[in-house]
Amino acid sequence: MTGTVQGVGFRPYVYRLAGELGLAGYVLNDDRGVLLEAEGAAAAVDSFLERLGPEAPPLATVEQVSSEEVAPSGGPPDDGAPSFQIAASRRGGQPLALVSPDIATCAACLSEMADPADRRYRYPFTNCTDCGPRFTIVRGVPYDRPLTTMSGFEMCALCRAEYEDPADRRFHAQPNACPSCGPVLMLLGSGGEPVASGDPLAAAARALREGALLAIKGLGGYHLACHAGDEGATSALRSRKHREDKPFALMAADLAVARELVELTAEEERLLVGRERPIVIARRRPGAPVSDSVAPGSPDLGVMLAYTPLHHLLLAEAATTLVMTSGNVSDEPIAYHDRDAADRLAPIADLVLTHDRPIHVRADDSVVRSLGAVREAPLMLRRSRGYAPASIALPVEAPRAVLACGAELKSTFCLARGARAWVSHHIGDLKNYETLRSFEEGVAHFERLFAVAPEVVVHDLHPDYLSTRYALAREDVEAIGVQHHHAHLAACLAEHGETGPAVGAIYDGTGYGEDGTVWGGELLFGDLASFERAGSVMAVPMPGGERAVLEPWRMACSWLVAAGGDLPPLPQLLADSVAPERWEQVAALARSGFASPPTSSMGRLFDAVSALCGLRATVTYEGQAAIELEAAAGTAPEGEPYPLAVGEDPSGLVLDARETVAAVARDAAGGVPTALVSARFHAAVAVATAEACARIAEARGTGLVVLSGGVFNNRLLVERVAALLGERGLRVLLPELLPAGDGGISYGQAAAAAARLSA
Ligand SMILES: [Zn+2]
Ligand SMILES: [Zn+2]
């Protein structure tokens, strides 16, 4: 029996079922999953097989049951009572058992922690078979205590008895622990010295209430935390972390507290309390008790609920909502090793709340955003803790084992074999040595965990991505390149079990095109294996290349030059941020094309419009200008779309945004409210996109349209485009299990490679 069947209470469940039906035999964990033998009356064995899958525990996913008849082992023992045993795990051969994601603390554990008479009263590492750390503590398979980071903790007699009692909730709960035998909490000063404080939890909570910044060791890494309503603390956190604008996530004690912070739909509430416990991005409630510097310029807040016993205890004790942002400085990966945290976080935190259970795999908090009107399932902005490493099916089996290396920003990697793909936790921006090392370690760990020895490596076409270089440096494997936007298309098709063909509107910031130019506003027609470029946003120069990504005003200038101004006057709204001679220099670059690679990027068009509205001349993180442009539309009445022509040239359809940009510039300069300008621009892109997709769909004879790429994290845009395509009778697919952004690329690469290898 294979699937996620280890560490989820599967063997005790089998034990109880066999007992109920009077069967003898055994069950054990092996490298492939669960192996069992049952012996007894024919009717009882049949009933056992029938009930085995459907009645499995909630966290188990049974993927395959294979059975065969074996000779009876000699009948019941002498006392006449059949016996069924849970036998020792077996190792050897190829590990295939699936490791479960980490799971939020269950209700039963919470009530024990709240009970003064219970031996786990206020114990911050309480867990059971239904909850607790999994993926982040596993060093190898099979999933048994010696191969986890709990191996150094010897269970006390009471814990051991629970662990060995098939009737107990903690039967074979690998991280099982209690105050007398398990991990302990420690409070350290910023120099790493223990703080003599009595109860570390109470002292940490007191410090948070008084405005201190704490580094807190969690499940998949460290957080930096402070009182969310304390402006002094939150702005100090911003400056010490060198994070200027990107919103901080919040952690609330429970749903009632979350409801005071944000407006929640039923679906968003379901996500918040779900066992994955992601950060849910939702509309901020007026008067929410949160200081301004938590999410400057954003109408939304990112909120999650406590998901470990430590969080529950700390939030109850501190009696306030906390900022819980990833424990890093600037864009580095989050710290998860204690030594690393001491080096990097202690200098910026006043205190460090830590413990002695090691974290083996770093896992950031996952982030989702509800899609409101479009569909129930949210958009996955970051898929990591709580979701990884659950496997995702492939519609076309990979005939050989595949490693897909992903893109560069927000990167993940993916291993695939047969019909199954494992997408990694969020690795981050593969631009520095730290992240590259964590990428390489992650690949090696996944190869061991899932027993996949890649014979094929898949990479982006961009020759300079570190992921591409890594792929090409691997020896004894075949390398396959998959174009960036095709990978987005393939990922969305494949996660829905589709193979295409389909039209894909794939909009993002940057992706290396087949012609060597920078793509990013692409209309593709293709299936899993191949594609054609059926159209794109009109290409304009990116003055100064990559610099234009962090300086959206450059794209505003370039688009105005394209729109007909040889030397467009510097818009009044940009006059405070851009010196006139800089504007002229950049306009000259745009005219000549010198140091200005052409780009068809939709993300850069959003940047240009954001700059022209005076929202963002420069940004501190990619996508910021577009995010603020969407936010600016707010609840403005739907505007008449600006003109945005869908033209045609020999290479295909062209979304010609020159008139659009000219109209935006005119209105913004004329004092039209930004909300209305933004709404009219969004409407223009939506109408043109739907028109272009419909034309390609009709010409190619398909009724299926995929919308993906990071620009489609924009809810306003998704809602409009999906509605317009629906009105035309086209079926729309959006990413659901994986991000629309580059976190989904590795899976798309794997799906494309599987299809090509099977062709
Ligand atoms: Zn539990
Ligand atoms: Zn114990």
Side-chain angles (χ1 to χ4, degrees):
M1 170 165 288
T2 60
T4 308
V5 290
Q6 294 189 4
V8 291
F10 202 82
R11 288 171 303 174
Y13 152 72
V14 170
Y15 174 91
R16 284 190 295 268
L17 185 61
E20 189 186 316
L21 295 168
L23 298 172
Y26 65 86
V27 58
L28 58 81
N29 277 351
D30 66 8
D31 293 330
R32 304 178 65 83
V34 162
L35 178 69
L36 63 91
E37 205 174 294
E39 185 175 336
V45 172
D46 286 349
S47 160
F48 179 73
L49 284 175
E50 236 165 63
R51 292 171 58 182
L52 200 53
E55 294 177 21
L59 296 177
T61 48
V62 177
E63 271 153 11
Q64 205 190 343
V65 180
S66 46
S67 60
E68 58 181 291
E69 284 195 29
V70 292
S73 64
D78 295 341
D79 62 0
S83 84
F84 195 93
Q85 289 170 10
I86 295 179
S89 298
R90 265 185 217 163
R91 298 190 59 194
Q94 243 199 3
L96 236 178
L98 304 185
V99 176
S100 148
D102 301 279
I103 302 145
T105 311
C106 74
C109 285
L110 282 180
S111 69
E112 286 172 348
M113 286 158 52
D115 176 4
D118 194 279
R119 68 194 191 90
R120 289 191 177 83
Y121 178 56
R122 296 187 80 238
Y123 181 55
F125 304 96
T126 304
N127 67 83
C128 73
T129 325
D130 296 332
C131 73
R134 296 286 188 279
F135 173 58
T136 52
I137 62 165
V138 171
R139 291 194 167 116
V141 282
Y143 173 64
D144 274 338
R145 191 156 171 126
L147 287 176
T148 70
T149 64
M150 285 297 291
S151 61
F153 298 91
E154 175 105 29
M155 272 185 269
C156 68
L158 286 174
C159 285
R160 169 67 58 190
E162 292 167 340
Y163 183 87
E164 287 173 354
D165 176 5
D168 195 277
R169 197 172 94 247
R170 296 198 164 86
F171 178 69
H172 284 204
Q174 305 306 343
N176 188 26
C178 78
S180 62
C181 68
V184 293
L185 212 52
M186 290 165 281
L187 188 62
L188 308 177
S190 56
E193 74 288 356
V195 176
S197 58
D199 179 2
L201 198 67
R206 194 179 330 115
L208 285 165
R209 275 199 308 272
E210 288 165 1
L213 302 191
L214 265 72
I216 299 175
K217 186 174 179 182
L219 208 47
Y222 280 77
H223 283 113
L224 285 166
C226 71
H227 189 315
D230 184 329
E231 180 58 40
T234 50
S235 54
L237 180 54
R238 266 203 192 282
S239 71
R240 290 196 218 169
K241 198 173 140 69
H242 301 299
R243 177 143 147 174
E244 288 166 54
D245 308 298
K246 214 171 182 176
F248 287 143
L250 301 173
M251 184 179 275
D254 54 34
L255 193 54
V257 176
R259 285 180 182 138
E260 292 166 15
L261 302 171
V262 284
E263 288 162 11
L264 293 166
T265 62
E267 172 62 11
E268 285 162 341
E269 295 197 349
R270 193 192 62 74
L271 288 163
L272 272 176
V273 301
R275 65 181 189 233
E276 297 90 357
R277 293 284 157 108
I279 295 169
V280 175
I281 307 214
R283 193 49 53 106
R284 178 186 184 135
R285 200 177 270 289
V290 168
S291 72
D292 289 341
S293 57
V294 165
S298 170
D300 298 329
L301 291 173
V303 179
M304 64 185 144
L305 298 189
Y307 57 83
T308 69
L310 175 57
H311 297 146
H312 283 284
L313 295 167
L314 190 63
L315 282 160
E317 188 98 16
T320 179
T321 297
L322 297 178
V323 164
M324 279 287 221
T325 183
S326 40
N328 57 6
V329 178
S330 202
D331 292 329
E332 295 168 357
I334 64 167
Y336 71 108
H337 283 139
D338 299 331
R339 232 241 223 78
D340 188 33
D343 289 348
R344 293 199 283 141
L345 302 183
I348 56 175
D350 301 310
L351 292 166
V352 180
L353 184 62
T354 185
H355 57 77
D356 54 354
R357 184 182 71 206
I359 298 171
H360 189 69
V361 177
R362 177 168 67 88
D364 295 67
D365 293 317
S366 297
V367 186
V368 302
R369 183 185 196 191
S370 154
L371 262 185
V374 180
R375 64 158 193 225
E376 256 200 9
L379 278 174
M380 182 72 71
L381 301 188
R382 180 164 75 204
R383 178 186 182 273
S384 205
R385 195 238 335 128
Y387 296 93
S391 71
I392 299 175
L394 285 172
V396 175
E397 294 195 10
R400 285 185 280 156
V402 169
L403 165 65
C405 296
E408 180 174 62
L409 299 178
K410 302 179 172 73
S411 74
T412 60
F413 60 84
C414 173
L415 281 180
R417 186 183 50 213
R420 184 181 308 290
W422 294 274
V423 180
S424 76
H425 48 301
H426 169 81
I427 302 287
D429 295 351
L430 265 188
K431 281 188 159 173
N432 61 50
Y433 174 72
E434 277 297 305
T435 329
L436 178 65
R437 211 182 53 183
S438 110
F439 173 87
E440 291 171 348
E441 286 169 2
V443 169
H445 186 53
F446 268 57
E447 287 180 11
R448 279 194 306 271
L449 274 192
F450 302 111
V452 177
E455 297 165 73
V456 176
V457 219
V458 198
H459 58 84
D460 196 272
L461 298 185
H462 201 303
D464 297 331
Y465 281 179
L466 293 181
S467 57
T468 305
R469 292 192 190 164
Y470 170 86
L472 295 175
R474 291 223 13 169
E475 286 172 7
D476 304 324
V477 290
E478 180 187 346
I480 293 182
V482 173
Q483 199 277 329
H484 191 91
H485 302 94
H486 180 225
H488 276 304
L489 170 65
C492 185
L493 282 172
E495 71 149 288
H496 289 283
E498 302 273 354
T499 54
V503 179
I506 313 295
Y507 295 166
D508 64 3
T510 303
Y512 198 83
E514 282 188 316
D515 56 5
T517 69
V518 182
W519 291 10
E522 306 309 309
L523 298 161
L524 309 183
F525 175 74
D527 55 18
L528 290 183
S530 65
F531 78 101
E532 288 169 55
R533 193 187 198 197
S536 72
V537 169
M538 188 183 110
V540 297
M542 233 168 110
E546 283 290 299
R547 291 189 65 177
V549 175
L550 292 180
E551 298 180 18
W553 67 268
R554 288 171 181 260
M555 290 311 299
C557 183
S558 181
W559 268 106
L560 288 176
V561 168
D566 232 13
L567 177 53
L570 173 62
Q572 197 53 44
L573 288 169
L574 287 170
D576 285 347
S577 333
V578 183
E581 51 291 1
R582 300 268 288 138
W583 180 263
E584 280 174 35
Q585 286 161 3
V586 163
L589 285 182
R591 273 198 312 274
S592 68
F594 178 74
S596 304
T599 183
S600 56
S601 168
M602 182 61 89
R604 297 290 91 78
L605 175 60
F606 271 75
D607 283 356
V609 169
S610 186
L612 289 171
C613 289
L615 289 170
R616 275 286 151 196
T618 61
V619 296
T620 58
Y621 61 93
E622 213 214 353
Q624 184 181 11
I627 288 169
E628 292 184 14
L629 184 63
E630 181 196 354
T635 48
E638 278 191 15
E640 188 62 18
Y642 286 126
L644 202 168
V646 182
E648 204 157 356
D649 75 6
S651 64
L653 299 183
V654 180
L655 300 185
D656 180 348
R658 286 177 296 182
E659 270 191 74
T660 327
V661 170
V664 166
R666 216 169 28 244
D667 278 1
V672 174
T674 305
L676 186 57
V677 177
S678 173
R680 294 190 65 185
F681 171 69
H682 277 84
V685 174
V687 167
T689 301
E691 165 71 22
C693 288
R695 274 161 66 173
I696 299 167
E698 182 166 356
R700 307 291 184 135
T702 178
L704 190 60
V705 178
V706 165
L707 306 178
S708 191
V711 169
F712 282 107
N713 287 331
N714 181 321
R715 183 159 74 192
L716 190 57
L717 185 66
V718 171
E719 283 177 352
R720 290 297 294 270
V721 178
L724 290 167
L725 289 170
E727 283 167 20
R728 291 169 181 260
L730 293 161
R731 190 157 72 92
V732 179
L733 294 180
L734 288 164
E736 187 170 328
L737 301 174
L738 290 161
D742 285 1
I745 287 280
S746 63
Y747 171 75
Q749 291 173 336
R756 284 195 215 165
L757 292 167
S758 322

